Amino acid sequence: IKGKRMIRVIAVLSVLAVATNALYFHIAETERKCFIEEIPDETMVIGNYKVQLHDPNTNGYADYPSIGMHVEVKDPEEKVILSKLYLSEGRFTFTSHTPGEHTICLYSNSSSWFSGAQLRVHLDIQAGEHTQDYVQIAQKDKLNELQLRIRQLLDQVDQIQKEQNYQRYREERFRQTSESTNQRVLWWSIGQTLVLVATGAWQMRHLKGFFEAKKLV
Amino acid sequence: ICSMRLLLFLLALLSSVACTLHRFKTIVDAGQTDCFTVDIKQMSVGVTASYMVISPDSSHDIHFDLRGAQSSYQVKERKQRGIHTFEAAQGEMSLCLDNSYSFSADKLVAISIHINDDVIPLSQIADKTTQAAQSIQRALKLAQNELYDRANVEKRHRTVAENNFESINFWGIVNSCVMIFSSLVQVFLIRRLLK
């Protein structure tokens, strides 16, 4: 009986956790809204969303179950890793395999029945250790509160370490770009000097021939 | 007793989760205005909103319009980056990025909205171990936020460096063409002059 009460308490608290201050924005029906997440590799990203349609009668926004939301996720090499049509409310998940900027694009699939209508999209994107469901882990591994707390701290430290490694990789790329730019500047300077000298030499030769032909020299 | 402790612990766990953080990067197309709204449920809560224009260039800025609920706070500015901390009243808080004055520059803007709605303050947790763990967690969260900000600044610098890399080629070709073209024009004019 104690266990059942515990599960109920956990369920209530999980609901409380979801009822936080949510973010929403408006898009037109055929409009596409993109978000960029810069994440290291092997990181899971979870997005929770809800779509509501503008109701001109009440001048508010109401749920409309037949609207679908198309979610398209592209990896740093512009390759599509997730392209699925979801319901008007749901969650999408993907795991990154290469570090870099992943683009998450959302657009609705509704046709021009509700032409010009505005959609309100509630969105919450979580990446990394925020995606772990600790309530579930506590139940599965039978951890007491101290162990769960330490597990959470360990996960957080792991995530920070991953971020820092990724930061190192990005700064390496930055340094390579700067060094390539320096090299390019050097080659272009040499090249342009050669072009100057060549055009000058060509001009002298051509004009010398021209003056000699015109019997001016 | 055991269930009470677990209840308190889970509340403390959720308080670290319930500290709401909306952090994302979005592209505002040229000529468009993008607005994001947060529905604040508490009566009065501390909010920190920050934005930074990452690309196309470090010299670009964006029109930032922040409006707290019930006219509690209002900011209208046009800058590259900014941080605003204020007490938000209950209701809808909206944040608008206006890029309508730009013709061709699509701006990538990093936005971070941090809402301080901690359920249980640190001093009320009875257990010392839990208190210590909770404070470590908060410190780690701060460290993560710092890392994220620094990553955005680095991204901005790297975008400038990559743009430089591309423009070197472009301007090199332009310079060479101008040189060759002007030498041809010179020869042509001299020939015409002496014809």
Short mmCIF file of all heavy atoms in Angstrom, two decimals, chain A residues 194-210, chain B residues 179-188 191:
data_model
loop_
_atom_site.label_atom_id
_atom_site.label_comp_id
_atom_site.label_asym_id
_atom_site.label_seq_id
_atom_site.Cartn_x
_atom_site.Cartn_y
_atom_site.Cartn_z
N LEU A 194 52.45 39.28 -58.82
CA LEU A 194 52.83 38.71 -60.10
C LEU A 194 51.94 39.24 -61.22
O LEU A 194 52.42 39.54 -62.33
CB LEU A 194 52.74 37.18 -60.05
CG LEU A 194 53.85 36.49 -59.25
CD1 LEU A 194 53.58 34.99 -59.16
CD2 LEU A 194 55.20 36.74 -59.89
N VAL A 195 50.63 39.36 -60.94
CA VAL A 195 49.71 39.87 -61.96
C VAL A 195 50.09 41.31 -62.32
O VAL A 195 50.13 41.68 -63.51
CB VAL A 195 48.24 39.80 -61.46
CG1 VAL A 195 47.32 40.65 -62.31
CG2 VAL A 195 47.75 38.37 -61.46
N LEU A 196 50.42 42.12 -61.32
CA LEU A 196 50.84 43.50 -61.56
C LEU A 196 52.08 43.54 -62.44
O LEU A 196 52.13 44.28 -63.44
CB LEU A 196 51.16 44.19 -60.23
CG LEU A 196 50.13 45.16 -59.67
CD1 LEU A 196 50.61 45.67 -58.33
CD2 LEU A 196 49.88 46.29 -60.61
N VAL A 197 53.09 42.77 -62.06
CA VAL A 197 54.33 42.75 -62.81
C VAL A 197 54.08 42.27 -64.24
O VAL A 197 54.60 42.85 -65.22
CB VAL A 197 55.38 41.86 -62.09
CG1 VAL A 197 56.56 41.57 -62.99
CG2 VAL A 197 55.84 42.55 -60.81
N ALA A 198 53.26 41.24 -64.39
CA ALA A 198 52.98 40.69 -65.72
C ALA A 198 52.25 41.71 -66.60
O ALA A 198 52.60 41.89 -67.77
CB ALA A 198 52.14 39.41 -65.59
N THR A 199 51.23 42.38 -66.03
CA THR A 199 50.50 43.36 -66.86
C THR A 199 51.41 44.53 -67.23
O THR A 199 51.37 45.04 -68.35
CB THR A 199 49.25 43.91 -66.15
OG1 THR A 199 49.62 44.36 -64.86
CG2 THR A 199 48.17 42.88 -66.06
N GLY A 200 52.28 44.95 -66.25
CA GLY A 200 53.22 46.02 -66.56
C GLY A 200 54.15 45.64 -67.69
O GLY A 200 54.36 46.40 -68.66
N ALA A 201 54.70 44.41 -67.63
CA ALA A 201 55.62 43.95 -68.67
C ALA A 201 54.91 43.86 -70.02
O ALA A 201 55.45 44.29 -71.05
CB ALA A 201 56.18 42.58 -68.27
N TRP A 202 53.68 43.34 -70.01
CA TRP A 202 52.92 43.21 -71.25
C TRP A 202 52.66 44.60 -71.86
O TRP A 202 52.78 44.80 -73.07
CB TRP A 202 51.61 42.47 -70.98
CG TRP A 202 50.70 42.46 -72.16
CD1 TRP A 202 50.77 41.64 -73.25
CD2 TRP A 202 49.60 43.35 -72.39
NE1 TRP A 202 49.79 41.94 -74.14
CE2 TRP A 202 49.04 43.00 -73.64
CE3 TRP A 202 49.04 44.41 -71.68
CZ2 TRP A 202 47.95 43.67 -74.18
CZ3 TRP A 202 47.95 45.07 -72.22
CH2 TRP A 202 47.42 44.70 -73.46
N GLN A 203 52.28 45.55 -70.99
CA GLN A 203 52.01 46.91 -71.46
C GLN A 203 53.24 47.49 -72.15
O GLN A 203 53.17 48.04 -73.26
CB GLN A 203 51.62 47.82 -70.30
CG GLN A 203 50.16 47.81 -69.98
CD GLN A 203 49.82 48.78 -68.87
OE1 GLN A 203 50.64 49.02 -67.98
NE2 GLN A 203 48.64 49.32 -68.90
N MET A 204 54.41 47.38 -71.48
CA MET A 204 55.64 47.95 -72.05
C MET A 204 55.95 47.33 -73.39
O MET A 204 56.24 48.03 -74.35
CB MET A 204 56.83 47.73 -71.09
CG MET A 204 56.72 48.43 -69.75
SD MET A 204 56.07 50.09 -69.83
CE MET A 204 57.24 50.89 -70.87
N ARG A 205 55.82 45.97 -73.46
CA ARG A 205 56.16 45.28 -74.70
C ARG A 205 55.23 45.70 -75.82
O ARG A 205 55.64 46.00 -76.95
CB ARG A 205 56.09 43.78 -74.46
CG ARG A 205 56.96 42.96 -75.40
CD ARG A 205 56.95 41.53 -74.95
NE ARG A 205 55.56 41.07 -74.87
CZ ARG A 205 55.07 40.03 -75.53
NH1 ARG A 205 55.86 39.33 -76.30
NH2 ARG A 205 53.81 39.70 -75.41
N HIS A 206 53.96 45.76 -75.52
CA HIS A 206 52.94 46.08 -76.52
C HIS A 206 53.12 47.51 -77.03
O HIS A 206 53.10 47.78 -78.24
CB HIS A 206 51.57 45.89 -75.89
CG HIS A 206 50.43 46.06 -76.86
ND1 HIS A 206 49.87 45.00 -77.52
CD2 HIS A 206 49.80 47.17 -77.28
CE1 HIS A 206 48.90 45.44 -78.31
NE2 HIS A 206 48.85 46.76 -78.19
N LEU A 207 53.33 48.44 -76.09
CA LEU A 207 53.44 49.85 -76.50
C LEU A 207 54.75 50.09 -77.26
O LEU A 207 54.79 50.90 -78.20
CB LEU A 207 53.37 50.75 -75.26
CG LEU A 207 51.95 50.88 -74.68
CD1 LEU A 207 51.98 51.66 -73.39
CD2 LEU A 207 51.03 51.54 -75.69
N LYS A 208 55.81 49.39 -76.85
CA LYS A 208 57.08 49.52 -77.57
C LYS A 208 56.88 49.11 -79.03
O LYS A 208 57.30 49.82 -79.95
CB LYS A 208 58.14 48.65 -76.89
CG LYS A 208 59.50 48.77 -77.50
CD LYS A 208 60.57 48.15 -76.61
CE LYS A 208 61.79 47.93 -77.49
NZ LYS A 208 62.54 46.73 -77.24
N GLY A 209 56.20 47.93 -79.23
CA GLY A 209 55.93 47.47 -80.58
C GLY A 209 55.06 48.48 -81.33
O GLY A 209 55.28 48.77 -82.51
N PHE A 210 54.09 49.05 -80.65
CA PHE A 210 53.16 50.00 -81.26
C PHE A 210 53.89 51.26 -81.69
O PHE A 210 53.70 51.77 -82.79
CB PHE A 210 52.04 50.30 -80.25
CG PHE A 210 51.06 51.32 -80.71
CD1 PHE A 210 50.23 51.10 -81.80
CD2 PHE A 210 50.98 52.56 -80.05
CE1 PHE A 210 49.33 52.06 -82.22
CE2 PHE A 210 50.07 53.51 -80.47
CZ PHE A 210 49.24 53.27 -81.55
N MET B 179 42.89 45.01 -61.96
CA MET B 179 44.24 45.33 -62.44
C MET B 179 44.37 45.03 -63.93
O MET B 179 44.87 45.86 -64.70
CB MET B 179 45.27 44.52 -61.65
CG MET B 179 45.63 45.17 -60.34
SD MET B 179 47.05 44.44 -59.57
CE MET B 179 46.37 42.98 -58.88
N ILE B 180 43.94 43.84 -64.34
CA ILE B 180 44.07 43.45 -65.75
C ILE B 180 43.23 44.38 -66.61
O ILE B 180 43.67 44.87 -67.65
CB ILE B 180 43.65 41.98 -65.94
CG1 ILE B 180 44.62 41.07 -65.20
CG2 ILE B 180 43.59 41.61 -67.40
CD1 ILE B 180 44.21 39.62 -65.18
N PHE B 181 42.01 44.65 -66.15
CA PHE B 181 41.11 45.51 -66.92
C PHE B 181 41.69 46.91 -67.08
O PHE B 181 41.67 47.49 -68.18
CB PHE B 181 39.75 45.56 -66.22
CG PHE B 181 38.75 46.44 -66.89
CD1 PHE B 181 38.20 46.08 -68.11
CD2 PHE B 181 38.38 47.64 -66.31
CE1 PHE B 181 37.29 46.89 -68.73
CE2 PHE B 181 37.45 48.46 -66.93
CZ PHE B 181 36.90 48.09 -68.15
N SER B 182 42.25 47.48 -66.01
CA SER B 182 42.78 48.85 -66.11
C SER B 182 44.00 48.89 -67.02
O SER B 182 44.19 49.86 -67.75
CB SER B 182 43.11 49.40 -64.73
OG SER B 182 44.11 48.65 -64.14
N SER B 183 44.82 47.83 -67.01
CA SER B 183 45.98 47.85 -67.90
C SER B 183 45.53 47.77 -69.36
O SER B 183 46.07 48.47 -70.23
CB SER B 183 46.94 46.71 -67.57
OG SER B 183 46.35 45.48 -67.91
N LEU B 184 44.51 46.98 -69.64
CA LEU B 184 43.99 46.91 -71.00
C LEU B 184 43.43 48.27 -71.44
O LEU B 184 43.66 48.72 -72.57
CB LEU B 184 42.89 45.85 -71.10
CG LEU B 184 43.34 44.40 -71.02
CD1 LEU B 184 42.13 43.47 -70.92
CD2 LEU B 184 44.15 44.03 -72.24
N VAL B 185 42.69 48.92 -70.54
CA VAL B 185 42.09 50.22 -70.86
C VAL B 185 43.18 51.24 -71.14
O VAL B 185 43.08 52.04 -72.08
CB VAL B 185 41.18 50.68 -69.70
CG1 VAL B 185 40.89 52.16 -69.79
CG2 VAL B 185 39.88 49.91 -69.73
N GLN B 186 44.26 51.20 -70.34
CA GLN B 186 45.36 52.14 -70.54
C GLN B 186 45.96 51.98 -71.94
O GLN B 186 46.15 52.95 -72.67
CB GLN B 186 46.46 51.91 -69.49
CG GLN B 186 46.18 52.51 -68.15
CD GLN B 186 47.19 52.06 -67.11
OE1 GLN B 186 47.86 51.04 -67.25
NE2 GLN B 186 47.31 52.85 -66.07
N VAL B 187 46.26 50.71 -72.30
CA VAL B 187 46.88 50.46 -73.61
C VAL B 187 45.94 50.90 -74.73
O VAL B 187 46.34 51.55 -75.70
CB VAL B 187 47.24 48.96 -73.74
CG1 VAL B 187 47.54 48.60 -75.18
CG2 VAL B 187 48.42 48.65 -72.86
N PHE B 188 44.66 50.57 -74.55
CA PHE B 188 43.67 50.93 -75.57
C PHE B 188 43.58 52.44 -75.77
O PHE B 188 43.55 52.94 -76.89
CB PHE B 188 42.32 50.33 -75.15
CG PHE B 188 41.17 50.72 -76.03
CD1 PHE B 188 41.07 50.22 -77.32
CD2 PHE B 188 40.19 51.59 -75.58
CE1 PHE B 188 40.02 50.58 -78.14
CE2 PHE B 188 39.13 51.95 -76.39
CZ PHE B 188 39.05 51.44 -77.68
N ARG B 191 46.68 53.83 -77.50
CA ARG B 191 46.65 53.53 -78.91
C ARG B 191 45.69 54.48 -79.65
O ARG B 191 45.99 55.00 -80.71
CB ARG B 191 46.19 52.09 -79.14
CG ARG B 191 47.28 51.08 -78.95
CD ARG B 191 46.71 49.70 -79.07
NE ARG B 191 46.44 49.40 -80.48
CZ ARG B 191 47.07 48.46 -81.18
NH1 ARG B 191 47.99 47.74 -80.59
NH2 ARG B 191 46.77 48.26 -82.44
#
